[in-house]
Amino acid sequence: MDGGQVSTAAPEAHAGEPADLPAGPTRDLGPLVAELRRIVGEKWVYTQEHQLRTYESDGLLQYHVSPVAAVLPGSTEEIQAVVRACHAAQVPWVARGAGSGLSGGALPIDDGVLIVSTRLKRILDIDLANLRVCVEPGVTNSAVSAAVGPGFFYPPDPSSQIVCSIGGNVAENSGGAHCFKYGFTTNYVTGLELVLSDGELVQVGGKELDPAGYDLLGAFVGSEGTLGIATKVWLRIVPTPETAKTLVAFFDSTRVAGEAVSAIVQAGVVPAAIEMMDHLTIQCAEDMAHAGYPKDRGAALLVELDGAERECEARFEEVLAICERCGSDDIRVAKDEAQRALFWKTRKAAFPAMGRLAPNYFVQDGVIPRTKLPEALERIEELAQEAGLPVANVFHAGDGNLHPLVCYDGSKEGEAERAEELSAAILDVCLSVGGSLTGEHGVGVDKKKHMPKQFAEPDLAAFQKLRCAFDPDGLANPGKVMPTPRLCGEVPGPYRRHPLEIAGLAERF
Ligand SMILES: Cc1cc2nc3c(=O)[nH]c(=O)nc-3n(C[C@H](O)[C@H](O)[C@H](O)COP(=O)(O)OP(=O)(O)OC[C@H]3O[C@@H](n4cnc5c(N)ncnc54)[C@H](O)[C@@H]3O)c2cc1C
């Protein structure tokens, strides 16, 4: 390819390996593997096929690639030495946390090394007086709140929080149900220690807010492992609210439930969470969680308010009234902590419950202006009917962050391809109403081909300049995020068709 202006055709979703990642080890990496073993110890370098199986996919199971080696360093110094060795050998690498990402961000490259942070699980410092905690990247999201609780907590709460790592959260700028009120990961990271792609160790930010200089924290959070590896993370924590009140309101359709969401927000209420489940999701989640939800209703809205007792009470009454006014005739208020937990369990059961509908599904992740929810959901339903595939919707309604689950049976001829096309059409709907390609799951390999739909060539070139400033040799997670990776130093110019395109052998995304 001429500097990556062209990439080969869209990855075949089910063939396993995205088409424009390197095609296999092209040289002997034995000396590098020996060096990795020397750095971290024999038992923390996996090279056998059966050992690498665990690491060949992340949560986007449609892709799988075996790296040359998966290495599990036990300290920052070891990560640094591993990255230095890769740099010396000019071998690309991919950082991996828990591997729960849904966009293929931690998908290995087959002539590269996978650097796994699961051994780095120490909570390094808890400073409640300054509302800070400092952790290693392999610490799980829920372990942070557990470490600082019960008086304090760490708000970003991806549904995968019991397994996903803080390093992965930082790289994906992860969100969750409570981000409507509390904000995303980026609002909580105050400092990072990073190993850059040449092995240099740098610190950006720290405990303090608003550090001097360029906002490199802002650049790193959400950079999907393409700017370096986070080895230490300083996080802001907040006091646990005095109380939380939770309800589930049932509606006839997602359209009216969507109108209730807008009405709640317009009334000036800021719930901690507003989550919606559509008809299909209610059915599947109820069969799994047994919360007593009516399986014939069109939509369920889970609303949680938290804060000071009296304010919470007053605002909760407002929300109840709005839900009734918008057409809900069945509103259930959590009587106690056990019932609140059951409401949340039912919501969080939604993804795994899809196994009841079909053996496979794509989790789509787009974000739209909240007021466009009814319009977008109707269009998605039409597309699902046209494609003849069920699409269940469960999402962070307050943020307008949709998660359509496109269900299919991969063993049926052509169904996976139809599901992928439908998934892409859903993204187009999000963009057409003024939304974005991803709300919280990242671009990874999955969505990079769609990036030019949202960004113009000069915008993408600006992203690439930043990436090259951090990683001039292109060793950190190459082949991800950017649709048409070009070599660092290449001067972007007007687009010229590549000979392979002209010959009809490759296409430009
Ligand atoms: C059932 C389920 C529910 C989910 N719900 C949510 C949700 O509600 N909200 C949400 O936002 N996401 C959700 N996710 C997606 C996923 O859990 C998040 O993206 C999470 O942050 C990934 O963390 P991880 O440790 O698994 O990262 P991985 O999948 O291992 O890696 C993700 C990315 O981070 C990079 N990376 C990992 N560690 C580092 C590091 N130390 N330094 C630099 N880069 C690094 C990788 O290279 C990759 O690009 C869900 C996933 C599942 C399976």
Side-chain angles (χ1 to χ4, degrees):
M1 297 290 131
D2 69 344
Q5 284 278 354
V6 182
S7 61
T8 48
E12 284 176 46
H14 315 286
E17 188 175 328
D20 60 352
L21 293 181
T26 49
R27 59 195 162 117
D28 175 18
L29 296 181
L32 172 65
V33 172
E35 175 64 3
L36 299 178
R37 291 204 163 105
R38 193 194 61 71
I39 295 166
V40 300
E42 187 85 19
K43 76 178 217 190
W44 299 117
V45 179
Y46 302 151
T47 53
Q48 302 291 315
E49 197 187 332
H50 69 276
Q51 295 173 312
L52 293 174
R53 275 279 151 78
T54 306
Y55 300 102
E56 63 183 20
S57 297
D58 61 2
L60 183 69
L61 295 169
Q62 285 81 3
Y63 293 133
H64 38 93
V65 175
S66 220
V68 170
V71 47
L72 283 70
S75 65
T76 296
E77 292 70 28
E78 287 184 4
I79 290 195
Q80 217 185 341
V82 165
V83 172
R84 274 210 175 109
C86 290
H87 184 254
Q90 287 290 289
V91 167
W93 49 267
V94 176
R96 174 177 165 120
S100 70
L102 292 168
S103 56
L107 186 76
I109 28 185
D110 58 7
D111 64 349
V113 169
L114 191 70
I115 305 176
V116 186
S117 67
T118 43
R119 290 178 63 211
L120 297 165
K121 281 186 176 306
R122 285 180 307 155
I123 307 263
L124 300 170
D125 180 37
I126 298 177
D127 182 354
L128 297 182
N130 285 304
L131 298 176
R132 292 291 182 276
V133 55
C134 182
V135 302
E136 289 187 327
V139 168
T140 60
N141 173 292
S142 51
V144 179
S145 287
V148 300
F152 296 86
F153 78 114
Y154 174 65
D157 59 342
S159 300
S160 52
Q161 67 188 143
I162 56 169
V163 295
C164 67
S165 73
I166 288 297
N169 290 181
V170 168
E172 299 288 2
N173 187 20
S174 291
H178 290 83
C179 290
F180 177 64
K181 174 174 178 180
Y182 289 98
F184 286 69
T185 303
T186 191
N187 303 109
Y188 292 88
V189 179
T190 64
L192 289 170
E193 179 188 83
L194 306 172
V195 173
L196 302 182
S197 72
D198 57 359
E200 202 64 53
L201 189 71
V202 298
Q203 184 176 323
V204 291
K207 266 190 185 180
E208 73 281 14
L209 279 180
D210 194 18
Y214 295 116
D215 181 13
L216 296 182
L217 275 181
F220 194 90
V221 177
S223 61
E224 303 191 29
T226 61
L227 303 185
I229 301 192
T231 49
K232 211 183 261 183
V233 186
W234 284 265
L235 296 168
R236 195 163 67 83
I237 51 171
V238 299
T240 306
E242 194 182 338
T243 193
K245 286 191 71 73
T246 312
L247 65 79
V248 179
F250 296 95
F251 294 85
D252 285 337
S253 67
T254 50
R255 171 172 277 280
V256 279
E259 285 164 3
V261 172
S262 291
I264 291 168
V265 176
Q266 272 165 25
V269 184
V270 185
I274 318 185
E275 299 284 298
M276 201 191 297
M277 301 200 291
D278 72 357
H279 176 60
L280 268 183
T281 313
I282 296 172
Q283 284 184 332
C284 296
E286 170 58 21
D287 283 345
M288 201 163 155
H290 308 294
Y293 285 8
K295 292 202 277 181
D296 57 340
R297 300 311 297 265
L301 206 57
L302 187 160
V303 186
E304 181 159 286
L305 268 64
D306 67 8
E309 185 98 41
R310 284 178 62 184
E311 188 192 350
C312 215
E313 288 286 348
R315 290 302 208 177
F316 200 71
E317 291 305 317
E318 263 185 83
V319 171
L320 280 169
I322 291 171
C323 288
E324 275 172 7
R325 210 167 54 238
C326 289
S328 177
D329 54 1
D330 182 355
I331 304 179
R332 305 177 188 190
V333 177
K335 291 190 297 290
D336 50 28
E337 194 47 39
Q339 200 175 10
R340 177 176 170 238
L342 184 59
F343 287 173
W344 277 110
K345 182 178 159 199
T346 314
R347 159 63 185 86
K348 295 199 175 183
F351 282 23
M354 286 309 131
R356 290 163 189 270
L357 269 186
N360 309 92
Y361 65 85
F362 281 111
V363 183
Q364 195 43 284
D365 164 50
V367 66
I368 58 171
R370 192 173 38 241
T371 50
K372 300 285 186 184
L373 276 175
E375 178 184 335
L377 289 171
E378 270 180 15
R379 184 68 196 120
I380 290 169
E381 175 56 28
E382 283 165 15
L383 287 169
Q385 282 184 10
E386 281 163 27
L389 293 172
V391 175
N393 286 289
V394 50
F395 53 96
H396 310 310
D399 296 311
N401 185 186
L402 298 175
H403 288 323
L405 304 164
V406 179
C407 302
Y408 67 96
D409 183 346
S411 67
K412 290 190 182 152
E413 181 74 26
E415 203 158 286
E417 288 73 15
R418 276 208 332 275
E420 203 188 3
E421 279 165 25
L422 175 55
S423 256
I426 289 173
L427 278 187
D428 292 343
V429 171
C430 294
L431 292 176
S432 72
V433 297
S436 171
L437 288 174
T438 166
E440 55 185 16
H441 295 169
V443 176
V445 282
D446 188 33
K447 293 191 176 168
K448 60 180 189 162
K449 62 177 179 283
H450 299 293
M451 289 283 274
K453 296 178 183 170
Q454 186 175 346
F455 299 101
E457 182 65 21
D459 305 334
L460 294 170
F463 289 158
Q464 184 69 5
K465 279 182 198 158
L466 177 78
R467 186 172 185 164
C468 292
F470 275 84
D471 177 26
D473 296 326
L475 298 177
N477 215 2
K480 313 285 174 65
V481 185
M482 296 298 286
T484 52
R486 46 169 85 79
L487 301 174
C488 294
E490 184 192 346
V491 182
Y495 173 64
R496 296 179 309 280
R497 291 182 82 206
H498 187 275
L500 285 179
E501 274 183 290
I502 294 165
L505 296 173
E507 69 181 66
R508 181 175 187 258
F509 298 130

